[in-house]
mmCIF file of all heavy atoms in Angstrom:
data_model
loop_
_atom_site.group_PDB
_atom_site.id
_atom_site.type_symbol
_atom_site.label_atom_id
_atom_site.label_comp_id
_atom_site.label_asym_id
_atom_site.label_seq_id
_atom_site.Cartn_x
_atom_site.Cartn_y
_atom_site.Cartn_z
ATOM 1 N N GLY A 282 -6.167 -5.475 -3.419
ATOM 2 C CA GLY A 282 -6.644 -4.348 -2.614
ATOM 3 C C GLY A 282 -6.520 -4.619 -1.125
ATOM 4 O O GLY A 282 -6.142 -3.744 -0.350
ATOM 5 N N GLY A 283 -6.833 -5.862 -0.727
ATOM 6 C CA GLY A 283 -6.695 -6.227 0.682
ATOM 7 C C GLY A 283 -5.254 -6.156 1.136
ATOM 8 O O GLY A 283 -4.946 -5.694 2.247
ATOM 9 N N THR A 284 -4.342 -6.582 0.266
ATOM 10 C CA THR A 284 -2.914 -6.539 0.594
ATOM 11 C C THR A 284 -2.431 -5.091 0.725
ATOM 12 O O THR A 284 -1.705 -4.747 1.670
ATOM 13 C CB THR A 284 -2.103 -7.270 -0.494
ATOM 14 O OG1 THR A 284 -2.527 -8.635 -0.554
ATOM 15 C CG2 THR A 284 -0.618 -7.199 -0.208
ATOM 16 N N TYR A 285 -2.840 -4.252 -0.218
ATOM 17 C CA TYR A 285 -2.455 -2.839 -0.137
ATOM 18 C C TYR A 285 -2.946 -2.234 1.178
ATOM 19 O O TYR A 285 -2.203 -1.523 1.868
ATOM 20 C CB TYR A 285 -3.026 -2.050 -1.319
ATOM 21 C CG TYR A 285 -2.739 -0.570 -1.205
ATOM 22 C CD1 TYR A 285 -1.503 -0.055 -1.602
ATOM 23 C CD2 TYR A 285 -3.682 0.295 -0.656
ATOM 24 C CE1 TYR A 285 -1.219 1.306 -1.463
ATOM 25 C CE2 TYR A 285 -3.405 1.643 -0.506
ATOM 26 C CZ TYR A 285 -2.177 2.149 -0.909
ATOM 27 O OH TYR A 285 -1.896 3.486 -0.757
ATOM 28 N N THR A 286 -4.188 -2.548 1.548
ATOM 29 C CA THR A 286 -4.768 -1.994 2.773
ATOM 30 C C THR A 286 -3.977 -2.419 4.002
ATOM 31 O O THR A 286 -3.686 -1.607 4.892
ATOM 32 C CB THR A 286 -6.234 -2.445 2.907
ATOM 33 O OG1 THR A 286 -6.979 -1.954 1.781
ATOM 34 C CG2 THR A 286 -6.857 -1.927 4.187
ATOM 35 N N ILE A 287 -3.613 -3.701 4.061
ATOM 36 C CA ILE A 287 -2.846 -4.188 5.215
ATOM 37 C C ILE A 287 -1.472 -3.539 5.261
ATOM 38 O O ILE A 287 -1.018 -3.085 6.326
ATOM 39 C CB ILE A 287 -2.725 -5.727 5.167
ATOM 40 C CG1 ILE A 287 -4.096 -6.384 5.310
ATOM 41 C CG2 ILE A 287 -1.793 -6.227 6.286
ATOM 42 C CD1 ILE A 287 -4.085 -7.886 5.086
ATOM 43 N N LEU A 288 -0.783 -3.482 4.118
ATOM 44 C CA LEU A 288 0.548 -2.873 4.092
ATOM 45 C C LEU A 288 0.500 -1.404 4.489
ATOM 46 O O LEU A 288 1.412 -0.902 5.168
ATOM 47 C CB LEU A 288 1.169 -3.023 2.709
ATOM 48 C CG LEU A 288 1.617 -4.431 2.308
ATOM 49 C CD1 LEU A 288 2.057 -4.454 0.845
ATOM 50 C CD2 LEU A 288 2.743 -4.928 3.204
ATOM 51 N N ARG A 289 -0.563 -0.725 4.088
ATOM 52 C CA ARG A 289 -0.706 0.694 4.451
ATOM 53 C C ARG A 289 -1.022 0.856 5.938
ATOM 54 O O ARG A 289 -0.354 1.605 6.662
ATOM 55 C CB ARG A 289 -1.827 1.320 3.615
ATOM 56 C CG ARG A 289 -2.103 2.800 3.899
ATOM 57 C CD ARG A 289 -3.421 3.204 3.275
ATOM 58 N NE ARG A 289 -4.545 2.469 3.893
ATOM 59 C CZ ARG A 289 -5.735 2.312 3.296
ATOM 60 N NH1 ARG A 289 -5.949 2.796 2.081
ATOM 61 N NH2 ARG A 289 -6.692 1.665 3.932
ATOM 62 N N ASP A 290 -2.026 0.118 6.405
ATOM 63 C CA ASP A 290 -2.499 0.304 7.778
ATOM 64 C C ASP A 290 -1.555 -0.297 8.816
ATOM 65 O O ASP A 290 -1.526 0.157 9.972
ATOM 66 C CB ASP A 290 -3.895 -0.311 7.942
ATOM 67 C CG ASP A 290 -4.947 0.395 7.099
ATOM 68 O OD1 ASP A 290 -4.649 1.486 6.557
ATOM 69 O OD2 ASP A 290 -6.064 -0.149 6.971
ATOM 70 N N LYS A 291 -0.807 -1.334 8.436
ATOM 71 C CA LYS A 291 0.073 -2.013 9.390
ATOM 72 C C LYS A 291 1.555 -1.650 9.176
ATOM 73 O O LYS A 291 2.431 -2.321 9.726
ATOM 74 C CB LYS A 291 -0.084 -3.534 9.253
ATOM 75 C CG LYS A 291 -1.476 -4.062 9.548
ATOM 76 C CD LYS A 291 -1.778 -4.001 11.035
ATOM 77 C CE LYS A 291 -3.103 -4.691 11.351
ATOM 78 N NZ LYS A 291 -3.419 -4.617 12.800
ATOM 79 N N HIS A 292 1.802 -0.603 8.412
ATOM 80 C CA HIS A 292 3.196 -0.253 8.092
ATOM 81 C C HIS A 292 4.020 -0.063 9.365
ATOM 82 O O HIS A 292 5.094 -0.666 9.533
ATOM 83 C CB HIS A 292 3.251 1.000 7.230
ATOM 84 C CG HIS A 292 4.649 1.479 6.970
ATOM 85 N ND1 HIS A 292 5.308 2.346 7.828
ATOM 86 C CD2 HIS A 292 5.531 1.200 5.974
ATOM 87 C CE1 HIS A 292 6.526 2.577 7.369
ATOM 88 N NE2 HIS A 292 6.684 1.894 6.242
ATOM 89 N N ASP A 293 3.550 0.778 10.255
ATOM 90 C CA ASP A 293 4.321 1.074 11.458
ATOM 91 C C ASP A 293 4.394 -0.141 12.384
ATOM 92 O O ASP A 293 5.427 -0.371 13.027
ATOM 93 C CB ASP A 293 3.704 2.259 12.204
ATOM 94 C CG ASP A 293 3.818 3.559 11.406
ATOM 95 O OD1 ASP A 293 4.591 3.592 10.420
ATOM 96 O OD2 ASP A 293 3.130 4.526 11.764
ATOM 97 N N TYR A 294 3.329 -0.898 12.442
ATOM 98 C CA TYR A 294 3.299 -2.109 13.275
ATOM 99 C C TYR A 294 4.347 -3.108 12.799
ATOM 100 O O TYR A 294 5.089 -3.682 13.599
ATOM 101 C CB TYR A 294 1.897 -2.721 13.205
ATOM 102 C CG TYR A 294 1.714 -3.997 13.988
ATOM 103 C CD1 TYR A 294 1.413 -3.960 15.343
ATOM 104 C CD2 TYR A 294 1.828 -5.234 13.366
ATOM 105 C CE1 TYR A 294 1.236 -5.136 16.072
ATOM 106 C CE2 TYR A 294 1.664 -6.417 14.071
ATOM 107 C CZ TYR A 294 1.360 -6.355 15.427
ATOM 108 O OH TYR A 294 1.194 -7.517 16.145
ATOM 109 N N ILE A 295 4.416 -3.325 11.479
ATOM 110 C CA ILE A 295 5.407 -4.256 10.910
ATOM 111 C C ILE A 295 6.824 -3.727 11.141
ATOM 112 O O ILE A 295 7.730 -4.475 11.515
ATOM 113 C CB ILE A 295 5.139 -4.478 9.406
ATOM 114 C CG1 ILE A 295 3.821 -5.248 9.219
ATOM 115 C CG2 ILE A 295 6.297 -5.230 8.741
ATOM 116 C CD1 ILE A 295 3.339 -5.293 7.788
ATOM 117 N N ALA A 296 6.999 -2.417 10.940
ATOM 118 C CA ALA A 296 8.333 -1.835 11.130
ATOM 119 C C ALA A 296 8.795 -1.999 12.574
ATOM 120 O O ALA A 296 9.957 -2.367 12.841
ATOM 121 C CB ALA A 296 8.317 -0.358 10.750
ATOM 122 N N GLU A 297 7.900 -1.761 13.517
ATOM 123 C CA GLU A 297 8.263 -1.845 14.936
ATOM 124 C C GLU A 297 8.560 -3.279 15.357
ATOM 125 O O GLU A 297 9.511 -3.532 16.116
ATOM 126 C CB GLU A 297 7.115 -1.281 15.781
ATOM 127 C CG GLU A 297 7.371 -1.352 17.284
ATOM 128 C CD GLU A 297 6.194 -0.825 18.095
ATOM 129 O OE1 GLU A 297 5.254 -0.248 17.491
ATOM 130 O OE2 GLU A 297 6.206 -1.001 19.326
ATOM 131 N N ASN A 298 7.780 -4.232 14.867
ATOM 132 C CA ASN A 298 7.903 -5.604 15.347
ATOM 133 C C ASN A 298 8.834 -6.476 14.518
ATOM 134 O O ASN A 298 9.384 -7.454 15.032
ATOM 135 C CB ASN A 298 6.519 -6.254 15.408
ATOM 136 C CG ASN A 298 5.661 -5.671 16.513
ATOM 137 O OD1 ASN A 298 5.832 -5.989 17.682
ATOM 138 N ND2 ASN A 298 4.739 -4.785 16.136
ATOM 139 N N GLU A 299 8.998 -6.141 13.226
ATOM 140 C CA GLU A 299 9.835 -6.965 12.351
ATOM 141 C C GLU A 299 11.121 -6.272 11.928
ATOM 142 O O GLU A 299 11.999 -6.907 11.331
ATOM 143 C CB GLU A 299 9.035 -7.356 11.091
ATOM 144 C CG GLU A 299 7.744 -8.113 11.372
ATOM 145 C CD GLU A 299 7.967 -9.468 12.017
ATOM 146 O OE1 GLU A 299 9.061 -10.058 11.808
ATOM 147 O OE2 GLU A 299 7.069 -9.949 12.738
ATOM 148 N N GLY A 300 11.221 -4.981 12.203
ATOM 149 C CA GLY A 300 12.423 -4.251 11.820
ATOM 150 C C GLY A 300 12.546 -4.064 10.321
ATOM 151 O O GLY A 300 13.660 -3.941 9.799
ATOM 152 N N ILE A 301 11.417 -4.025 9.615
ATOM 153 C CA ILE A 301 11.422 -3.895 8.154
ATOM 154 C C ILE A 301 10.493 -2.749 7.749
ATOM 155 O O ILE A 301 9.307 -2.737 8.101
ATOM 156 C CB ILE A 301 10.967 -5.205 7.481
ATOM 157 C CG1 ILE A 301 11.953 -6.328 7.808
ATOM 158 C CG2 ILE A 301 10.838 -5.031 5.967
ATOM 159 C CD1 ILE A 301 11.518 -7.682 7.321
ATOM 160 N N ASP A 302 11.041 -1.806 7.033
ATOM 161 C CA ASP A 302 10.276 -0.666 6.514
ATOM 162 C C ASP A 302 9.867 -0.993 5.078
ATOM 163 O O ASP A 302 10.685 -0.949 4.158
ATOM 164 C CB ASP A 302 11.153 0.589 6.552
ATOM 165 C CG ASP A 302 10.456 1.810 5.959
ATOM 166 O OD1 ASP A 302 9.245 1.728 5.683
ATOM 167 O OD2 ASP A 302 11.146 2.830 5.757
ATOM 168 N N ILE A 303 8.597 -1.369 4.887
ATOM 169 C CA ILE A 303 8.105 -1.770 3.568
ATOM 170 C C ILE A 303 7.564 -0.552 2.828
ATOM 171 O O ILE A 303 6.650 0.125 3.301
ATOM 172 C CB ILE A 303 7.013 -2.850 3.688
ATOM 173 C CG1 ILE A 303 7.613 -4.118 4.293
ATOM 174 C CG2 ILE A 303 6.390 -3.145 2.319
ATOM 175 C CD1 ILE A 303 6.606 -5.222 4.535
ATOM 176 N N GLU A 304 8.131 -0.303 1.657
ATOM 177 C CA GLU A 304 7.699 0.809 0.817
ATOM 178 C C GLU A 304 7.064 0.264 -0.462
ATOM 179 O O GLU A 304 7.715 -0.468 -1.217
ATOM 180 C CB GLU A 304 8.886 1.696 0.440
ATOM 181 C CG GLU A 304 8.488 2.850 -0.470
ATOM 182 C CD GLU A 304 9.687 3.599 -1.035
ATOM 183 O OE1 GLU A 304 10.821 3.122 -0.878
ATOM 184 O OE2 GLU A 304 9.483 4.657 -1.655
ATOM 185 N N ILE A 305 5.799 0.609 -0.693
ATOM 186 C CA ILE A 305 5.153 0.234 -1.952
ATOM 187 C C ILE A 305 5.616 1.229 -3.006
ATOM 188 O O ILE A 305 5.198 2.386 -3.021
ATOM 189 C CB ILE A 305 3.625 0.236 -1.826
ATOM 190 C CG1 ILE A 305 3.178 -0.708 -0.715
ATOM 191 C CG2 ILE A 305 2.977 -0.173 -3.160
ATOM 192 C CD1 ILE A 305 1.687 -0.675 -0.429
ATOM 193 N N ARG A 306 6.491 0.767 -3.881
ATOM 194 C CA ARG A 306 7.115 1.664 -4.846
ATOM 195 C C ARG A 306 6.380 1.700 -6.184
ATOM 196 O O ARG A 306 6.535 2.655 -6.953
ATOM 197 C CB ARG A 306 8.571 1.251 -5.091
ATOM 198 C CG ARG A 306 9.469 1.454 -3.874
ATOM 199 C CD ARG A 306 10.918 1.149 -4.217
ATOM 200 N NE ARG A 306 11.428 1.954 -5.327
ATOM 201 C CZ ARG A 306 11.893 3.196 -5.208
ATOM 202 N NH1 ARG A 306 11.900 3.791 -4.015
ATOM 203 N NH2 ARG A 306 12.349 3.842 -6.273
ATOM 204 N N CYS A 307 5.598 0.642 -6.473
ATOM 205 C CA CYS A 307 4.939 0.597 -7.776
ATOM 206 C C CYS A 307 3.699 -0.275 -7.691
ATOM 207 O O CYS A 307 3.708 -1.326 -7.028
ATOM 208 C CB CYS A 307 5.905 0.042 -8.820
ATOM 209 S SG CYS A 307 5.353 0.303 -10.520
ATOM 210 N N VAL A 308 2.636 0.155 -8.351
ATOM 211 C CA VAL A 308 1.407 -0.619 -8.462
ATOM 212 C C VAL A 308 1.042 -0.718 -9.936
ATOM 213 O O VAL A 308 0.840 0.309 -10.601
ATOM 214 C CB VAL A 308 0.246 0.018 -7.671
ATOM 215 C CG1 VAL A 308 -1.048 -0.747 -7.922
ATOM 216 C CG2 VAL A 308 0.563 0.058 -6.184
ATOM 217 N N LEU A 309 0.986 -1.961 -10.443
ATOM 218 C CA LEU A 309 0.618 -2.178 -11.850
ATOM 219 C C LEU A 309 -0.897 -2.348 -11.913
ATOM 220 O O LEU A 309 -1.436 -3.380 -11.492
ATOM 221 C CB LEU A 309 1.332 -3.428 -12.368
ATOM 222 C CG LEU A 309 1.389 -3.608 -13.889
ATOM 223 C CD1 LEU A 309 2.300 -2.561 -14.514
ATOM 224 C CD2 LEU A 309 1.896 -5.006 -14.240
ATOM 225 N N GLU A 310 -1.592 -1.337 -12.422
ATOM 226 C CA GLU A 310 -3.056 -1.367 -12.418
ATOM 227 C C GLU A 310 -3.595 -0.420 -13.486
ATOM 228 O O GLU A 310 -3.223 0.759 -13.527
ATOM 229 C CB GLU A 310 -3.594 -0.968 -11.035
ATOM 230 C CG GLU A 310 -5.096 -0.880 -10.936
ATOM 231 C CD GLU A 310 -5.809 -2.174 -11.272
ATOM 232 O OE1 GLU A 310 -5.535 -3.199 -10.607
ATOM 233 O OE2 GLU A 310 -6.627 -2.162 -12.223
ATOM 234 N N LYS A 311 -4.461 -0.958 -14.364
ATOM 235 C CA LYS A 311 -5.021 -0.108 -15.416
ATOM 236 C C LYS A 311 -6.311 0.584 -14.981
ATOM 237 O O LYS A 311 -6.735 1.553 -15.617
ATOM 238 C CB LYS A 311 -5.272 -0.933 -16.677
ATOM 239 C CG LYS A 311 -6.260 -2.070 -16.512
ATOM 240 C CD LYS A 311 -6.366 -2.891 -17.795
ATOM 241 C CE LYS A 311 -7.331 -4.063 -17.650
ATOM 242 N NZ LYS A 311 -7.410 -4.879 -18.872
ATOM 243 N N ASN A 312 -6.952 0.100 -13.898
ATOM 244 C CA ASN A 312 -8.188 0.696 -13.404
ATOM 245 C C ASN A 312 -7.838 1.815 -12.423
ATOM 246 O O ASN A 312 -7.659 1.583 -11.218
ATOM 247 C CB ASN A 312 -9.055 -0.372 -12.733
ATOM 248 C CG ASN A 312 -10.418 0.160 -12.324
ATOM 249 O OD1 ASN A 312 -10.628 1.372 -12.232
ATOM 250 N ND2 ASN A 312 -11.346 -0.747 -12.067
ATOM 251 N N LEU A 313 -7.743 3.030 -12.925
ATOM 252 C CA LEU A 313 -7.348 4.157 -12.084
ATOM 253 C C LEU A 313 -8.386 4.472 -11.020
ATOM 254 O O LEU A 313 -8.041 4.954 -9.930
ATOM 255 C CB LEU A 313 -7.081 5.387 -12.950
ATOM 256 C CG LEU A 313 -5.924 5.246 -13.960
ATOM 257 C CD1 LEU A 313 -5.739 6.540 -14.744
ATOM 258 C CD2 LEU A 313 -4.633 4.870 -13.244
ATOM 259 N N ASP A 314 -9.662 4.193 -11.312
ATOM 260 C CA ASP A 314 -10.702 4.430 -10.309
ATOM 261 C C ASP A 314 -10.491 3.520 -9.099
ATOM 262 O O ASP A 314 -10.699 3.936 -7.953
ATOM 263 C CB ASP A 314 -12.094 4.169 -10.909
ATOM 264 C CG ASP A 314 -12.500 5.237 -11.909
ATOM 265 O OD1 ASP A 314 -11.936 6.350 -11.842
ATOM 266 O OD2 ASP A 314 -13.382 4.961 -12.749
ATOM 267 N N ARG A 315 -10.083 2.268 -9.352
ATOM 268 C CA ARG A 315 -9.816 1.351 -8.249
ATOM 269 C C ARG A 315 -8.645 1.851 -7.406
ATOM 270 O O ARG A 315 -8.691 1.799 -6.175
ATOM 271 C CB ARG A 315 -9.507 -0.048 -8.814
ATOM 272 C CG ARG A 315 -9.063 -1.080 -7.793
ATOM 273 C CD ARG A 315 -10.117 -1.372 -6.759
ATOM 274 N NE ARG A 315 -9.730 -2.518 -5.935
ATOM 275 C CZ ARG A 315 -10.297 -2.824 -4.781
ATOM 276 N NH1 ARG A 315 -11.283 -2.063 -4.309
ATOM 277 N NH2 ARG A 315 -9.907 -3.882 -4.098
ATOM 278 N N ALA A 316 -7.610 2.346 -8.057
ATOM 279 C CA ALA A 316 -6.462 2.887 -7.330
ATOM 280 C C ALA A 316 -6.859 4.087 -6.483
ATOM 281 O O ALA A 316 -6.454 4.207 -5.313
ATOM 282 C CB ALA A 316 -5.351 3.257 -8.309
ATOM 283 N N ARG A 317 -7.675 4.978 -7.061
ATOM 284 C CA ARG A 317 -8.127 6.159 -6.307
ATOM 285 C C ARG A 317 -9.001 5.743 -5.128
ATOM 286 O O ARG A 317 -8.908 6.318 -4.037
ATOM 287 C CB ARG A 317 -8.889 7.110 -7.233
ATOM 288 C CG ARG A 317 -7.986 7.975 -8.101
ATOM 289 C CD ARG A 317 -8.773 9.087 -8.782
ATOM 290 N NE ARG A 317 -9.636 8.553 -9.830
ATOM 291 C CZ ARG A 317 -9.276 8.459 -11.110
ATOM 292 N NH1 ARG A 317 -8.071 8.842 -11.488
ATOM 293 N NH2 ARG A 317 -10.118 7.977 -12.003
ATOM 294 N N GLU A 318 -9.862 4.746 -5.350
ATOM 295 C CA GLU A 318 -10.752 4.257 -4.293
ATOM 296 C C GLU A 318 -9.956 3.782 -3.078
ATOM 297 O O GLU A 318 -10.368 3.972 -1.932
ATOM 298 C CB GLU A 318 -11.601 3.105 -4.856
ATOM 299 C CG GLU A 318 -12.485 2.404 -3.861
ATOM 300 C CD GLU A 318 -13.104 1.140 -4.465
ATOM 301 O OE1 GLU A 318 -13.351 1.109 -5.692
ATOM 302 O OE2 GLU A 318 -13.320 0.178 -3.702
ATOM 303 N N LEU A 319 -8.809 3.167 -3.331
ATOM 304 C CA LEU A 319 -7.975 2.654 -2.243
ATOM 305 C C LEU A 319 -7.015 3.709 -1.684
ATOM 306 O O LEU A 319 -6.334 3.453 -0.685
ATOM 307 C CB LEU A 319 -7.169 1.450 -2.732
ATOM 308 C CG LEU A 319 -7.965 0.174 -3.001
ATOM 309 C CD1 LEU A 319 -7.129 -0.831 -3.783
ATOM 310 C CD2 LEU A 319 -8.442 -0.448 -1.686
ATOM 311 N N GLY A 320 -6.957 4.862 -2.330
ATOM 312 C CA GLY A 320 -6.073 5.922 -1.856
ATOM 313 C C GLY A 320 -4.629 5.752 -2.263
ATOM 314 O O GLY A 320 -3.717 6.259 -1.598
ATOM 315 N N VAL A 321 -4.390 5.048 -3.384
ATOM 316 C CA VAL A 321 -3.026 4.827 -3.851
ATOM 317 C C VAL A 321 -2.494 6.114 -4.485
ATOM 318 O O VAL A 321 -3.183 6.777 -5.258
ATOM 319 C CB VAL A 321 -2.972 3.673 -4.882
ATOM 320 C CG1 VAL A 321 -1.540 3.444 -5.339
ATOM 321 C CG2 VAL A 321 -3.558 2.397 -4.280
ATOM 322 N N ASP A 322 -1.270 6.470 -4.162
ATOM 323 C CA ASP A 322 -0.619 7.638 -4.762
ATOM 324 C C ASP A 322 -0.552 7.451 -6.279
ATOM 325 O O ASP A 322 0.075 6.494 -6.761
ATOM 326 C CB ASP A 322 0.792 7.770 -4.173
ATOM 327 C CG ASP A 322 1.554 8.969 -4.735
ATOM 328 O OD1 ASP A 322 1.020 9.672 -5.606
ATOM 329 O OD2 ASP A 322 2.708 9.167 -4.287
ATOM 330 N N PRO A 323 -1.169 8.328 -7.059
ATOM 331 C CA PRO A 323 -1.162 8.176 -8.523
ATOM 332 C C PRO A 323 0.243 8.104 -9.112
ATOM 333 O O PRO A 323 0.442 7.503 -10.178
ATOM 334 C CB PRO A 323 -1.902 9.427 -9.018
ATOM 335 C CG PRO A 323 -2.712 9.883 -7.848
ATOM 336 C CD PRO A 323 -1.938 9.517 -6.631
ATOM 337 N N ALA A 324 1.223 8.663 -8.440
ATOM 338 C CA ALA A 324 2.589 8.695 -8.971
ATOM 339 C C ALA A 324 3.221 7.311 -9.040
ATOM 340 O O ALA A 324 4.180 7.099 -9.798
ATOM 341 C CB ALA A 324 3.462 9.610 -8.114
ATOM 342 N N ILE A 325 2.700 6.358 -8.259
ATOM 343 C CA ILE A 325 3.296 5.015 -8.283
ATOM 344 C C ILE A 325 2.470 4.023 -9.104
ATOM 345 O O ILE A 325 2.835 2.858 -9.221
ATOM 346 C CB ILE A 325 3.511 4.455 -6.856
ATOM 347 C CG1 ILE A 325 2.160 4.182 -6.163
ATOM 348 C CG2 ILE A 325 4.379 5.390 -6.028
ATOM 349 C CD1 ILE A 325 2.302 3.406 -4.862
#
């Protein structure tokens, strides 16, 4: 969850400073409530 939060909140910062656009394409998680709590797109 901490990693997801950093990747989400620092996406533009990382892209600007490292030249890398990181896209979270898939999250393997059976606890859907945890995913919703973090604001993860249900489609991934």
